[in-house]
Every structure is written in C-alpha cells, then in structure tokens.
Amino acid sequence: MEMIQIVGLGLMATVLILVVREQKPMFAFLLAAFTGLFIFLYLIGKIEMVISVLEDLANRSGIPSIYLKTVLKIIGIAYIAEFGAQIVRDAGQESIASKIEFAGKIFILVMAVPIISVIVETVIGLLPDGS
Amino acid sequence: MVAWLSDWLRDIIAIILLAVFVELLLPNRAMQRYARLVVGLFILLTILSPILKLIQSDIGAKLDESMAKWSRSALEGDMQMTGLNQIKQDAEAMSAKRSLEAAKLTERTLEASILSELSERTDAPIAGVDATLKWVNAAGQLAPLLSQVTVTLKASEESNSIALEGATVEKVQPVIVDVQVQPIVPRDGLSIEAPNKEKRNQEEQLGGSWSPVDPAVTAELSSLIAKGWGLAEKQITIRQPAIQPR
C-alpha cells in the first residue's frame, strides 16, 4: 500500500505543479522540491532495513568493518548528491546540478584514496629491493 | 589448511554479495562507475589478502590506520563548523571580563558621586567612600547591584576627644593615622559598644583602630546615602579611624 501512497502523492504533486506553473513558477518549484524531499525522507527509513541486512552480512563473514563503513558512506554520498542535483535540475539549472554530481563523484573517489594507498604500498613492498 | 581456505572463500563471497547490494542501492549510472571502483578495490584486497598476509604482517590495521587518518583530516576540515562552540566560549569569557571592568568603573563612579554628594550636603569630614557591587540574577542576566557602602571619616580632633573623654588627659603625643585596611566594624556594633566607653578605650589602646562615630553624623550620612542610592541602612557602614596614642 505504501507504494500506492507514494505514487498517489507523486501524481497529485505533478498535477498541482502543472496547474501552478502557469501562474507562479516559483511555487511550482517549491512544490516539486518539497515532494521530492518528503519521498526521500520517507524512503530513508526503508533503506535502513537494507543497510541492516548488509551489516549482518558483514558481521557474519569476516569482512573488516572498515569496508562496510566506506561502502555505506559511498552510498550516502551518492544518494545525497543525486537528490540535490535532481532538485536543482528541476529548477532548470542543469550546470549547477552537474557540478553537484561532480562533487559527489569526487568525494567517492576520495574515499578510495586510503585503499589505493595501501594497495600501492603493498605492491611496492612486494617488489624485490633491486638497486 | 581447509579451514583457512574456506575462510578466505567466505570472505570473497561476502564481499561480492556486498558489492552487488551496493550496485543495487546506488541511485544512478553515473555514480555506479565510481562506487564500482571502490568496491572493486575492496574485492581486490580481499582476494589478495593471503598473499598480503604472507608478505606483510597486518594489512587490516594498516588500512584502519590510513582510514582513520583520512577521516581525521576530513574532520579537521569541519573544524570551522565545530568552532562555533569555541567562539561562544570566547565570547562569554570576553563579556564576563567586560562586565567586570564595567562593574569596576561603576564602583569608582558611584564612590566619586557619593563622596561629592556627601561633602556637598554635609560638613562631615569624609576621607573616602568604598562601594561594593554585588551581582544579582535579574531576568536571566547578571546585573550589578549596590550592596555595601562604607564611608570612612577623617580622624578628627573632635571625635578623638569624644573617644578619649573618659581617659585622663595626658601630654600631647605625636599622632599617627593608621591607614591600613582593617576589618570593618558595622555601625550597629559600634552603637551597641558605644555606652561602655572605657572598654572601648582599652580596646583602642590595645590596637583597635576604629573609633566610635558621632551618632548624629552617622545618621545624617546614612540617611543621605539611603535616600540617594536606595540602600538599606544596614548596608551602610560609617567608620572613623581612631587616633592611637603611641
């Protein structure tokens, strides 16, 4: 039933936005942003279940907790960047939206820096100490 | 050997499952490539872990350490945000200091105004006025309140003669005025002790340095202060240094 609620909310918001947009584009944007925010926050709670499954999986196997932490951070960054970019894109600012996405990508790559450094160090350690 | 192999395989399977979940969770294609890179690095680490263990002692600790270092540097980037508390503390300390200075200034101004008022309205020989402010909590803020006024009279010949009335008149001695800060004797206490002057004199000769003040002068001064600055009579102390014979 929740799916129907969300779809209903989305349809309602869309119709309202279409009506309002002719008169006040500003309010149409606000309505769109609010609807998006509401659905996003509503679904955050549901994502928690999936994350708990992931944590359980990581705990049962011997995966270091740092892996899971990093992965969850990546997911969070991706979602937040995507959400913000979509709202900005709705307002017609495509370039700013792409900058937000770019920032998200950069942050995800920054996450990879410690791993890469460890791998590089190890590989250098593997090499024989030839002069 | 088999146990170790099964551990290793379990790790790999778990991390691949994790990777699949992550790919499902990611919002769009653009992010997927980047996330895939990081997760791929994790899988690589897991697969290589036996070799890494052979060569280096503890890869997990190293990774932990570098991650902690990274997140610490990320936290340091946030320091400007958390610095708000520091700013607030600084502001509190500075405002406390400022209000202390203001209180000192208020004290000095009050003392000066009381002194000028008293010397204008009365002809009592006033040596100095000492006002003490107290901090009271008014409407959530500390506000200074005049709590104690001490008026020091000049040690006059007249009062000296009153004080020494009961004693035999001796040859005039060189006199010194003791200006050291002494414990304040409240006016009430003075008026109680005033009747037995002989005891009082003995005390003075033993080293008590405040002589009894003329009650009329005391009443006049305290009523003036009480009227002008809204103090209770018991908050006002009038004192007079005694002239001590050597």
Side-chain angles (χ1 to χ4, degrees), chain A residues 54 61-62 66-68 70-71 74 79 82 105 109-110 115-116 121-122 126, chain B residues 11 14-15 21-22 25 28 34 37-38 41-42 52 55 62-63 67 70:
Chain A
L54 285 184
S61 63
I66 197 89
Y67 289 11
L68 188 73
T70 313
V71 162
I74 289 170
Y79 267 100
E82 175 71 13
K105 288 170 190 171
L109 280 187
V110 166
I115 312 165
I116 292 174
E121 264 178 44
T122 318
L126 266 178
Chain B
D11 271 11
I15 202 119
F21 260 121
V22 169
L25 273 177
N28 64 357
Y34 295 84
L37 167 73
V38 178
L41 285 174
F42 279 144
L52 296 179
I55 294 159
K62 215 171 191 181
L63 195 62
M67 276 285 184
W70 178 81

PDB file of all heavy atoms in Angstrom, chain A residues 54 61-62 66-68 70-71 74 79 82 105 109-110 115-116 121-122 126, chain B residues 11 14-15 21-22 25 28 34 37-38 41-42 52 55 62-63 67 70:
ATOM      1  N   LEU A  54      22.889  -5.622   5.253  1.00  0.00           N
ATOM      2  CA  LEU A  54      24.291  -5.557   4.848  1.00  0.00           C
ATOM      3  C   LEU A  54      25.209  -5.692   6.057  1.00  0.00           C
ATOM      4  O   LEU A  54      26.221  -6.408   6.010  1.00  0.00           O
ATOM      5  CB  LEU A  54      24.571  -4.219   4.149  1.00  0.00           C
ATOM      6  CG  LEU A  54      24.052  -4.041   2.732  1.00  0.00           C
ATOM      7  CD1 LEU A  54      24.499  -2.711   2.183  1.00  0.00           C
ATOM      8  CD2 LEU A  54      24.556  -5.171   1.855  1.00  0.00           C
ATOM      9  N   SER A  61      30.307 -12.794   8.011  1.00  0.00           N
ATOM     10  CA  SER A  61      31.577 -13.129   7.367  1.00  0.00           C
ATOM     11  C   SER A  61      32.652 -12.275   8.028  1.00  0.00           C
ATOM     12  O   SER A  61      32.369 -11.425   8.861  1.00  0.00           O
ATOM     13  CB  SER A  61      31.495 -12.827   5.877  1.00  0.00           C
ATOM     14  OG  SER A  61      31.298 -11.454   5.721  1.00  0.00           O
ATOM     15  N   GLY A  62      33.857 -12.515   7.670  1.00  0.00           N
ATOM     16  CA  GLY A  62      34.932 -11.818   8.369  1.00  0.00           C
ATOM     17  C   GLY A  62      35.367 -10.535   7.710  1.00  0.00           C
ATOM     18  O   GLY A  62      36.515 -10.126   7.847  1.00  0.00           O
ATOM     19  N   ILE A  66      35.729  -1.726   8.384  1.00  0.00           N
ATOM     20  CA  ILE A  66      36.084  -0.511   7.646  1.00  0.00           C
ATOM     21  C   ILE A  66      35.572  -0.568   6.206  1.00  0.00           C
ATOM     22  O   ILE A  66      35.170   0.434   5.630  1.00  0.00           O
ATOM     23  CB  ILE A  66      37.610  -0.301   7.684  1.00  0.00           C
ATOM     24  CG1 ILE A  66      37.989   1.128   7.303  1.00  0.00           C
ATOM     25  CG2 ILE A  66      38.341  -1.276   6.806  1.00  0.00           C
ATOM     26  CD1 ILE A  66      38.030   2.020   8.485  1.00  0.00           C
ATOM     27  N   TYR A  67      35.499  -1.779   5.653  1.00  0.00           N
ATOM     28  CA  TYR A  67      34.965  -1.930   4.289  1.00  0.00           C
ATOM     29  C   TYR A  67      33.514  -1.482   4.240  1.00  0.00           C
ATOM     30  O   TYR A  67      33.106  -0.698   3.383  1.00  0.00           O
ATOM     31  CB  TYR A  67      35.055  -3.391   3.837  1.00  0.00           C
ATOM     32  CG  TYR A  67      36.440  -3.914   3.546  1.00  0.00           C
ATOM     33  CD1 TYR A  67      37.568  -3.195   3.894  1.00  0.00           C
ATOM     34  CD2 TYR A  67      36.605  -5.141   2.910  1.00  0.00           C
ATOM     35  CE1 TYR A  67      38.828  -3.696   3.629  1.00  0.00           C
ATOM     36  CE2 TYR A  67      37.860  -5.644   2.635  1.00  0.00           C
ATOM     37  CZ  TYR A  67      38.968  -4.914   3.008  1.00  0.00           C
ATOM     38  OH  TYR A  67      40.209  -5.408   2.744  1.00  0.00           O
ATOM     39  N   LEU A  68      32.752  -2.027   5.191  1.00  0.00           N
ATOM     40  CA  LEU A  68      31.327  -1.721   5.180  1.00  0.00           C
ATOM     41  C   LEU A  68      31.087  -0.232   5.412  1.00  0.00           C
ATOM     42  O   LEU A  68      30.235   0.374   4.758  1.00  0.00           O
ATOM     43  CB  LEU A  68      30.618  -2.545   6.257  1.00  0.00           C
ATOM     44  CG  LEU A  68      29.098  -2.439   6.186  1.00  0.00           C
ATOM     45  CD1 LEU A  68      28.583  -3.220   5.001  1.00  0.00           C
ATOM     46  CD2 LEU A  68      28.455  -2.942   7.449  1.00  0.00           C
ATOM     47  N   THR A  70      32.993   2.251   4.670  1.00  0.00           N
ATOM     48  CA  THR A  70      33.307   3.015   3.453  1.00  0.00           C
ATOM     49  C   THR A  70      32.205   2.866   2.426  1.00  0.00           C
ATOM     50  O   THR A  70      31.778   3.841   1.800  1.00  0.00           O
ATOM     51  CB  THR A  70      34.645   2.531   2.883  1.00  0.00           C
ATOM     52  OG1 THR A  70      35.575   2.451   3.940  1.00  0.00           O
ATOM     53  CG2 THR A  70      35.154   3.465   1.831  1.00  0.00           C
ATOM     54  N   VAL A  71      31.726   1.627   2.278  1.00  0.00           N
ATOM     55  CA  VAL A  71      30.697   1.377   1.268  1.00  0.00           C
ATOM     56  C   VAL A  71      29.428   2.149   1.607  1.00  0.00           C
ATOM     57  O   VAL A  71      28.794   2.769   0.739  1.00  0.00           O
ATOM     58  CB  VAL A  71      30.448  -0.145   1.177  1.00  0.00           C
ATOM     59  CG1 VAL A  71      29.133  -0.422   0.510  1.00  0.00           C
ATOM     60  CG2 VAL A  71      31.566  -0.803   0.404  1.00  0.00           C
ATOM     61  N   ILE A  74      29.809   5.690   0.788  1.00  0.00           N
ATOM     62  CA  ILE A  74      29.675   5.920  -0.656  1.00  0.00           C
ATOM     63  C   ILE A  74      28.214   5.986  -1.050  1.00  0.00           C
ATOM     64  O   ILE A  74      27.789   6.872  -1.807  1.00  0.00           O
ATOM     65  CB  ILE A  74      30.413   4.808  -1.428  1.00  0.00           C
ATOM     66  CG1 ILE A  74      31.911   5.000  -1.269  1.00  0.00           C
ATOM     67  CG2 ILE A  74      30.018   4.805  -2.892  1.00  0.00           C
ATOM     68  CD1 ILE A  74      32.706   3.845  -1.768  1.00  0.00           C
ATOM     69  N   TYR A  79      23.545   9.124  -2.815  1.00  0.00           N
ATOM     70  CA  TYR A  79      22.128   9.484  -2.721  1.00  0.00           C
ATOM     71  C   TYR A  79      21.946  10.979  -2.513  1.00  0.00           C
ATOM     72  O   TYR A  79      21.102  11.619  -3.145  1.00  0.00           O
ATOM     73  CB  TYR A  79      21.464   8.719  -1.575  1.00  0.00           C
ATOM     74  CG  TYR A  79      20.836   7.446  -2.049  1.00  0.00           C
ATOM     75  CD1 TYR A  79      21.463   6.230  -1.876  1.00  0.00           C
ATOM     76  CD2 TYR A  79      19.612   7.470  -2.703  1.00  0.00           C
ATOM     77  CE1 TYR A  79      20.900   5.064  -2.328  1.00  0.00           C
ATOM     78  CE2 TYR A  79      19.034   6.310  -3.154  1.00  0.00           C
ATOM     79  CZ  TYR A  79      19.689   5.107  -2.965  1.00  0.00           C
ATOM     80  OH  TYR A  79      19.136   3.968  -3.431  1.00  0.00           O
ATOM     81  N   GLU A  82      22.796  12.929  -5.633  1.00  0.00           N
ATOM     82  CA  GLU A  82      21.786  12.710  -6.660  1.00  0.00           C
ATOM     83  C   GLU A  82      20.519  13.506  -6.358  1.00  0.00           C
ATOM     84  O   GLU A  82      19.950  14.166  -7.240  1.00  0.00           O
ATOM     85  CB  GLU A  82      21.481  11.208  -6.728  1.00  0.00           C
ATOM     86  CG  GLU A  82      20.375  10.822  -7.655  1.00  0.00           C
ATOM     87  CD  GLU A  82      20.775  10.993  -9.107  1.00  0.00           C
ATOM     88  OE1 GLU A  82      21.979  11.174  -9.346  1.00  0.00           O
ATOM     89  OE2 GLU A  82      19.894  10.969  -9.968  1.00  0.00           O
ATOM     90  N   LYS A 105      30.952  12.667  -7.042  1.00  0.00           N
ATOM     91  CA  LYS A 105      31.936  11.721  -7.602  1.00  0.00           C
ATOM     92  C   LYS A 105      33.299  11.933  -6.969  1.00  0.00           C
ATOM     93  O   LYS A 105      33.999  10.964  -6.620  1.00  0.00           O
ATOM     94  CB  LYS A 105      32.038  11.930  -9.120  1.00  0.00           C
ATOM     95  CG  LYS A 105      30.822  11.423  -9.873  1.00  0.00           C
ATOM     96  CD  LYS A 105      30.880  11.884 -11.314  1.00  0.00           C
ATOM     97  CE  LYS A 105      29.565  11.601 -12.014  1.00  0.00           C
ATOM     98  NZ  LYS A 105      29.521  12.231 -13.340  1.00  0.00           N
ATOM     99  N   LEU A 109      35.547   9.269  -4.855  1.00  0.00           N
ATOM    100  CA  LEU A 109      36.930   8.924  -5.215  1.00  0.00           C
ATOM    101  C   LEU A 109      37.880   9.164  -4.045  1.00  0.00           C
ATOM    102  O   LEU A 109      38.827   8.403  -3.832  1.00  0.00           O
ATOM    103  CB  LEU A 109      37.384   9.730  -6.430  1.00  0.00           C
ATOM    104  CG  LEU A 109      36.907   9.187  -7.765  1.00  0.00           C
ATOM    105  CD1 LEU A 109      37.558   9.958  -8.893  1.00  0.00           C
ATOM    106  CD2 LEU A 109      37.220   7.712  -7.888  1.00  0.00           C
ATOM    107  N   VAL A 110      37.602  10.211  -3.281  1.00  0.00           N
ATOM    108  CA  VAL A 110      38.443  10.498  -2.122  1.00  0.00           C
ATOM    109  C   VAL A 110      38.375   9.337  -1.130  1.00  0.00           C
ATOM    110  O   VAL A 110      39.363   8.993  -0.480  1.00  0.00           O
ATOM    111  CB  VAL A 110      38.008  11.827  -1.470  1.00  0.00           C
ATOM    112  CG1 VAL A 110      38.605  11.978  -0.096  1.00  0.00           C
ATOM    113  CG2 VAL A 110      38.445  12.986  -2.328  1.00  0.00           C
ATOM    114  N   ILE A 115      42.471   3.242   0.418  1.00  0.00           N
ATOM    115  CA  ILE A 115      42.599   1.872  -0.084  1.00  0.00           C
ATOM    116  C   ILE A 115      43.693   1.805  -1.132  1.00  0.00           C
ATOM    117  O   ILE A 115      44.562   0.922  -1.112  1.00  0.00           O
ATOM    118  CB  ILE A 115      41.260   1.398  -0.693  1.00  0.00           C
ATOM    119  CG1 ILE A 115      40.112   1.704   0.255  1.00  0.00           C
ATOM    120  CG2 ILE A 115      41.310  -0.062  -1.016  1.00  0.00           C
ATOM    121  CD1 ILE A 115      38.776   1.613  -0.414  1.00  0.00           C
ATOM    122  N   ILE A 116      43.638   2.772  -2.042  1.00  0.00           N
ATOM    123  CA  ILE A 116      44.636   2.768  -3.110  1.00  0.00           C
ATOM    124  C   ILE A 116      46.033   2.903  -2.525  1.00  0.00           C
ATOM    125  O   ILE A 116      46.975   2.218  -2.947  1.00  0.00           O
ATOM    126  CB  ILE A 116      44.340   3.912  -4.113  1.00  0.00           C
ATOM    127  CG1 ILE A 116      43.044   3.617  -4.866  1.00  0.00           C
ATOM    128  CG2 ILE A 116      45.479   4.067  -5.101  1.00  0.00           C
ATOM    129  CD1 ILE A 116      42.592   4.737  -5.764  1.00  0.00           C
ATOM    130  N   GLU A 121      51.290   0.710  -1.518  1.00  0.00           N
ATOM    131  CA  GLU A 121      52.368   0.406  -0.584  1.00  0.00           C
ATOM    132  C   GLU A 121      52.704  -1.077  -0.591  1.00  0.00           C
ATOM    133  O   GLU A 121      53.870  -1.478  -0.599  1.00  0.00           O
ATOM    134  CB  GLU A 121      51.944   0.804   0.836  1.00  0.00           C
ATOM    135  CG  GLU A 121      52.423   2.178   1.253  1.00  0.00           C
ATOM    136  CD  GLU A 121      51.932   2.511   2.636  1.00  0.00           C
ATOM    137  OE1 GLU A 121      52.003   1.622   3.510  1.00  0.00           O
ATOM    138  OE2 GLU A 121      51.468   3.633   2.837  1.00  0.00           O
ATOM    139  N   THR A 122      51.654  -1.902  -0.596  1.00  0.00           N
ATOM    140  CA  THR A 122      51.867  -3.342  -0.569  1.00  0.00           C
ATOM    141  C   THR A 122      52.577  -3.821  -1.818  1.00  0.00           C
ATOM    142  O   THR A 122      53.503  -4.643  -1.758  1.00  0.00           O
ATOM    143  CB  THR A 122      50.513  -4.065  -0.439  1.00  0.00           C
ATOM    144  OG1 THR A 122      49.730  -3.359   0.496  1.00  0.00           O
ATOM    145  CG2 THR A 122      50.697  -5.480   0.003  1.00  0.00           C
ATOM    146  N   LEU A 126      56.051  -5.637  -2.321  1.00  0.00           N
ATOM    147  CA  LEU A 126      56.199  -6.938  -2.993  1.00  0.00           C
ATOM    148  C   LEU A 126      57.444  -6.961  -3.878  1.00  0.00           C
ATOM    149  O   LEU A 126      58.094  -7.989  -4.026  1.00  0.00           O
ATOM    150  CB  LEU A 126      54.975  -7.189  -3.871  1.00  0.00           C
ATOM    151  CG  LEU A 126      53.809  -7.977  -3.299  1.00  0.00           C
ATOM    152  CD1 LEU A 126      52.690  -8.049  -4.319  1.00  0.00           C
ATOM    153  CD2 LEU A 126      54.260  -9.360  -2.915  1.00  0.00           C
TER     154      LEU A 126
ATOM    155  N   ASP B  11      35.043 -14.961   2.814  1.00  0.00           N
ATOM    156  CA  ASP B  11      35.279 -13.516   2.729  1.00  0.00           C
ATOM    157  C   ASP B  11      34.992 -12.997   1.338  1.00  0.00           C
ATOM    158  O   ASP B  11      34.320 -11.965   1.157  1.00  0.00           O
ATOM    159  CB  ASP B  11      36.737 -13.221   3.078  1.00  0.00           C
ATOM    160  CG  ASP B  11      36.921 -13.011   4.562  1.00  0.00           C
ATOM    161  OD1 ASP B  11      35.944 -13.303   5.299  1.00  0.00           O
ATOM    162  OD2 ASP B  11      38.021 -12.612   4.985  1.00  0.00           O
ATOM    163  N   ALA B  14      31.296 -13.000   0.556  1.00  0.00           N
ATOM    164  CA  ALA B  14      30.587 -11.946   1.289  1.00  0.00           C
ATOM    165  C   ALA B  14      30.827 -10.594   0.649  1.00  0.00           C
ATOM    166  O   ALA B  14      29.884  -9.802   0.481  1.00  0.00           O
ATOM    167  CB  ALA B  14      31.047 -11.935   2.737  1.00  0.00           C
ATOM    168  N   ILE B  15      32.067 -10.348   0.276  1.00  0.00           N
ATOM    169  CA  ILE B  15      32.349  -9.002  -0.255  1.00  0.00           C
ATOM    170  C   ILE B  15      31.741  -8.839  -1.637  1.00  0.00           C
ATOM    171  O   ILE B  15      31.287  -7.746  -2.011  1.00  0.00           O
ATOM    172  CB  ILE B  15      33.863  -8.717  -0.247  1.00  0.00           C
ATOM    173  CG1 ILE B  15      34.090  -7.199  -0.277  1.00  0.00           C
ATOM    174  CG2 ILE B  15      34.584  -9.315  -1.404  1.00  0.00           C
ATOM    175  CD1 ILE B  15      34.813  -6.735   0.903  1.00  0.00           C
ATOM    176  N   PHE B  21      24.888  -5.709  -3.665  1.00  0.00           N
ATOM    177  CA  PHE B  21      23.908  -4.890  -2.949  1.00  0.00           C
ATOM    178  C   PHE B  21      24.155  -3.404  -3.194  1.00  0.00           C
ATOM    179  O   PHE B  21      23.222  -2.635  -3.444  1.00  0.00           O
ATOM    180  CB  PHE B  21      24.005  -5.169  -1.449  1.00  0.00           C
ATOM    181  CG  PHE B  21      22.947  -6.116  -0.965  1.00  0.00           C
ATOM    182  CD1 PHE B  21      23.289  -7.311  -0.354  1.00  0.00           C
ATOM    183  CD2 PHE B  21      21.595  -5.794  -1.104  1.00  0.00           C
ATOM    184  CE1 PHE B  21      22.318  -8.169   0.092  1.00  0.00           C
ATOM    185  CE2 PHE B  21      20.619  -6.659  -0.649  1.00  0.00           C
ATOM    186  CZ  PHE B  21      20.984  -7.860  -0.047  1.00  0.00           C
ATOM    187  N   VAL B  22      25.409  -3.052  -3.101  1.00  0.00           N
ATOM    188  CA  VAL B  22      25.752  -1.638  -3.271  1.00  0.00           C
ATOM    189  C   VAL B  22      25.370  -1.165  -4.663  1.00  0.00           C
ATOM    190  O   VAL B  22      24.810  -0.080  -4.836  1.00  0.00           O
ATOM    191  CB  VAL B  22      27.259  -1.442  -3.012  1.00  0.00           C
ATOM    192  CG1 VAL B  22      27.701  -0.065  -3.443  1.00  0.00           C
ATOM    193  CG2 VAL B  22      27.549  -1.635  -1.543  1.00  0.00           C
ATOM    194  N   LEU B  25      21.787  -0.506  -4.714  1.00  0.00           N
ATOM    195  CA  LEU B  25      21.353   0.643  -3.916  1.00  0.00           C
ATOM    196  C   LEU B  25      21.694   1.973  -4.559  1.00  0.00           C
ATOM    197  O   LEU B  25      21.050   2.972  -4.278  1.00  0.00           O
ATOM    198  CB  LEU B  25      22.022   0.587  -2.547  1.00  0.00           C
ATOM    199  CG  LEU B  25      21.312  -0.220  -1.466  1.00  0.00           C
ATOM    200  CD1 LEU B  25      22.142  -0.239  -0.209  1.00  0.00           C
ATOM    201  CD2 LEU B  25      19.949   0.378  -1.168  1.00  0.00           C
ATOM    202  N   ASN B  28      22.110   6.150  -9.431  1.00  0.00           N
ATOM    203  CA  ASN B  28      22.127   6.280 -10.894  1.00  0.00           C
ATOM    204  C   ASN B  28      23.417   5.721 -11.486  1.00  0.00           C
ATOM    205  O   ASN B  28      24.354   5.347 -10.774  1.00  0.00           O
ATOM    206  CB  ASN B  28      21.911   7.735 -11.322  1.00  0.00           C
ATOM    207  CG  ASN B  28      23.048   8.621 -10.838  1.00  0.00           C
ATOM    208  OD1 ASN B  28      23.939   8.142 -10.145  1.00  0.00           O
ATOM    209  ND2 ASN B  28      23.010   9.873 -11.202  1.00  0.00           N
ATOM    210  N   TYR B  34      31.900   4.982 -10.190  1.00  0.00           N
ATOM    211  CA  TYR B  34      32.836   5.369  -9.131  1.00  0.00           C
ATOM    212  C   TYR B  34      32.747   4.411  -7.957  1.00  0.00           C
ATOM    213  O   TYR B  34      33.758   3.980  -7.400  1.00  0.00           O
ATOM    214  CB  TYR B  34      32.558   6.809  -8.698  1.00  0.00           C
ATOM    215  CG  TYR B  34      32.826   7.779  -9.809  1.00  0.00           C
ATOM    216  CD1 TYR B  34      31.878   8.046 -10.782  1.00  0.00           C
ATOM    217  CD2 TYR B  34      34.063   8.386  -9.909  1.00  0.00           C
ATOM    218  CE1 TYR B  34      32.136   8.899 -11.819  1.00  0.00           C
ATOM    219  CE2 TYR B  34      34.335   9.252 -10.942  1.00  0.00           C
ATOM    220  CZ  TYR B  34      33.363   9.503 -11.899  1.00  0.00           C
ATOM    221  OH  TYR B  34      33.640  10.341 -12.935  1.00  0.00           O
ATOM    222  N   LEU B  37      34.458   1.243  -8.655  1.00  0.00           N
ATOM    223  CA  LEU B  37      35.914   1.305  -8.490  1.00  0.00           C
ATOM    224  C   LEU B  37      36.307   0.985  -7.059  1.00  0.00           C
ATOM    225  O   LEU B  37      37.177   0.139  -6.805  1.00  0.00           O
ATOM    226  CB  LEU B  37      36.416   2.697  -8.875  1.00  0.00           C
ATOM    227  CG  LEU B  37      37.855   3.009  -8.460  1.00  0.00           C
ATOM    228  CD1 LEU B  37      38.829   2.252  -9.347  1.00  0.00           C
ATOM    229  CD2 LEU B  37      38.131   4.493  -8.506  1.00  0.00           C
ATOM    230  N   VAL B  38      35.623   1.646  -6.113  1.00  0.00           N
ATOM    231  CA  VAL B  38      35.985   1.456  -4.708  1.00  0.00           C
ATOM    232  C   VAL B  38      35.701   0.024  -4.278  1.00  0.00           C
ATOM    233  O   VAL B  38      36.532  -0.640  -3.631  1.00  0.00           O
ATOM    234  CB  VAL B  38      35.215   2.461  -3.829  1.00  0.00           C
ATOM    235  CG1 VAL B  38      35.544   2.243  -2.376  1.00  0.00           C
ATOM    236  CG2 VAL B  38      35.549   3.875  -4.232  1.00  0.00           C
ATOM    237  N   LEU B  41      38.191  -2.306  -5.565  1.00  0.00           N
ATOM    238  CA  LEU B  41      39.431  -2.282  -4.787  1.00  0.00           C
ATOM    239  C   LEU B  41      39.299  -3.145  -3.533  1.00  0.00           C
ATOM    240  O   LEU B  41      40.234  -3.872  -3.158  1.00  0.00           O
ATOM    241  CB  LEU B  41      39.775  -0.845  -4.400  1.00  0.00           C
ATOM    242  CG  LEU B  41      40.341   0.025  -5.519  1.00  0.00           C
ATOM    243  CD1 LEU B  41      40.496   1.448  -5.048  1.00  0.00           C
ATOM    244  CD2 LEU B  41      41.668  -0.523  -5.988  1.00  0.00           C
ATOM    245  N   PHE B  42      38.130  -3.077  -2.933  1.00  0.00           N
ATOM    246  CA  PHE B  42      37.901  -3.917  -1.748  1.00  0.00           C
ATOM    247  C   PHE B  42      38.021  -5.394  -2.101  1.00  0.00           C
ATOM    248  O   PHE B  42      38.642  -6.183  -1.378  1.00  0.00           O
ATOM    249  CB  PHE B  42      36.518  -3.645  -1.156  1.00  0.00           C
ATOM    250  CG  PHE B  42      36.479  -2.430  -0.285  1.00  0.00           C
ATOM    251  CD1 PHE B  42      35.368  -1.609  -0.266  1.00  0.00           C
ATOM    252  CD2 PHE B  42      37.551  -2.112   0.528  1.00  0.00           C
ATOM    253  CE1 PHE B  42      35.334  -0.495   0.530  1.00  0.00           C
ATOM    254  CE2 PHE B  42      37.525  -0.998   1.339  1.00  0.00           C
ATOM    255  CZ  PHE B  42      36.405  -0.190   1.332  1.00  0.00           C
ATOM    256  N   LEU B  52      49.058 -10.940   0.881  1.00  0.00           N
ATOM    257  CA  LEU B  52      49.437  -9.783   1.704  1.00  0.00           C
ATOM    258  C   LEU B  52      49.831 -10.229   3.101  1.00  0.00           C
ATOM    259  O   LEU B  52      50.757  -9.699   3.711  1.00  0.00           O
ATOM    260  CB  LEU B  52      48.268  -8.800   1.776  1.00  0.00           C
ATOM    261  CG  LEU B  52      47.861  -8.166   0.449  1.00  0.00           C
ATOM    262  CD1 LEU B  52      46.676  -7.244   0.644  1.00  0.00           C
ATOM    263  CD2 LEU B  52      49.020  -7.403  -0.152  1.00  0.00           C
ATOM    264  N   ILE B  55      53.338 -11.561   3.100  1.00  0.00           N
ATOM    265  CA  ILE B  55      54.412 -10.584   2.968  1.00  0.00           C
ATOM    266  C   ILE B  55      54.418  -9.601   4.134  1.00  0.00           C
ATOM    267  O   ILE B  55      55.440  -9.389   4.773  1.00  0.00           O
ATOM    268  CB  ILE B  55      54.277  -9.831   1.636  1.00  0.00           C
ATOM    269  CG1 ILE B  55      54.516 -10.820   0.504  1.00  0.00           C
ATOM    270  CG2 ILE B  55      55.264  -8.685   1.560  1.00  0.00           C
ATOM    271  CD1 ILE B  55      53.943 -10.384  -0.796  1.00  0.00           C
ATOM    272  N   LYS B  62      46.704  -1.585   8.978  1.00  0.00           N
ATOM    273  CA  LYS B  62      47.230  -0.501   8.155  1.00  0.00           C
ATOM    274  C   LYS B  62      46.101   0.290   7.487  1.00  0.00           C
ATOM    275  O   LYS B  62      46.092   1.512   7.484  1.00  0.00           O
ATOM    276  CB  LYS B  62      48.133  -1.109   7.082  1.00  0.00           C
ATOM    277  CG  LYS B  62      49.312  -0.243   6.730  1.00  0.00           C
ATOM    278  CD  LYS B  62      50.232  -1.021   5.849  1.00  0.00           C
ATOM    279  CE  LYS B  62      51.543  -0.340   5.666  1.00  0.00           C
ATOM    280  NZ  LYS B  62      52.402  -1.136   4.783  1.00  0.00           N
ATOM    281  N   LEU B  63      45.146  -0.490   6.981  1.00  0.00           N
ATOM    282  CA  LEU B  63      44.001   0.139   6.324  1.00  0.00           C
ATOM    283  C   LEU B  63      43.210   0.969   7.323  1.00  0.00           C
ATOM    284  O   LEU B  63      42.813   2.101   7.040  1.00  0.00           O
ATOM    285  CB  LEU B  63      43.127  -0.945   5.701  1.00  0.00           C
ATOM    286  CG  LEU B  63      42.104  -0.460   4.693  1.00  0.00           C
ATOM    287  CD1 LEU B  63      42.792   0.191   3.522  1.00  0.00           C
ATOM    288  CD2 LEU B  63      41.255  -1.617   4.220  1.00  0.00           C
ATOM    289  N   MET B  67      42.618   4.913   7.091  1.00  0.00           N
ATOM    290  CA  MET B  67      41.242   5.413   7.055  1.00  0.00           C
ATOM    291  C   MET B  67      41.011   6.408   8.179  1.00  0.00           C
ATOM    292  O   MET B  67      40.365   7.439   7.983  1.00  0.00           O
ATOM    293  CB  MET B  67      40.262   4.245   7.222  1.00  0.00           C
ATOM    294  CG  MET B  67      39.961   3.525   5.941  1.00  0.00           C
ATOM    295  SD  MET B  67      38.852   4.484   4.926  1.00  0.00           S
ATOM    296  CE  MET B  67      38.591   3.379   3.580  1.00  0.00           C
ATOM    297  N   TRP B  70      42.547   9.560   7.325  1.00  0.00           N
ATOM    298  CA  TRP B  70      41.761  10.275   6.333  1.00  0.00           C
ATOM    299  C   TRP B  70      40.551  10.948   6.979  1.00  0.00           C
ATOM    300  O   TRP B  70      40.257  12.101   6.744  1.00  0.00           O
ATOM    301  CB  TRP B  70      41.312   9.305   5.248  1.00  0.00           C
ATOM    302  CG  TRP B  70      40.462   9.959   4.225  1.00  0.00           C
ATOM    303  CD1 TRP B  70      40.889  10.699   3.172  1.00  0.00           C
ATOM    304  CD2 TRP B  70      39.044   9.968   4.172  1.00  0.00           C
ATOM    305  NE1 TRP B  70      39.833  11.173   2.465  1.00  0.00           N
ATOM    306  CE2 TRP B  70      38.683  10.736   3.057  1.00  0.00           C
ATOM    307  CE3 TRP B  70      38.036   9.401   4.951  1.00  0.00           C
ATOM    308  CZ2 TRP B  70      37.366  10.949   2.715  1.00  0.00           C
ATOM    309  CZ3 TRP B  70      36.739   9.618   4.608  1.00  0.00           C
ATOM    310  CH2 TRP B  70      36.407  10.386   3.494  1.00  0.00           C
TER     311      TRP B  70
END
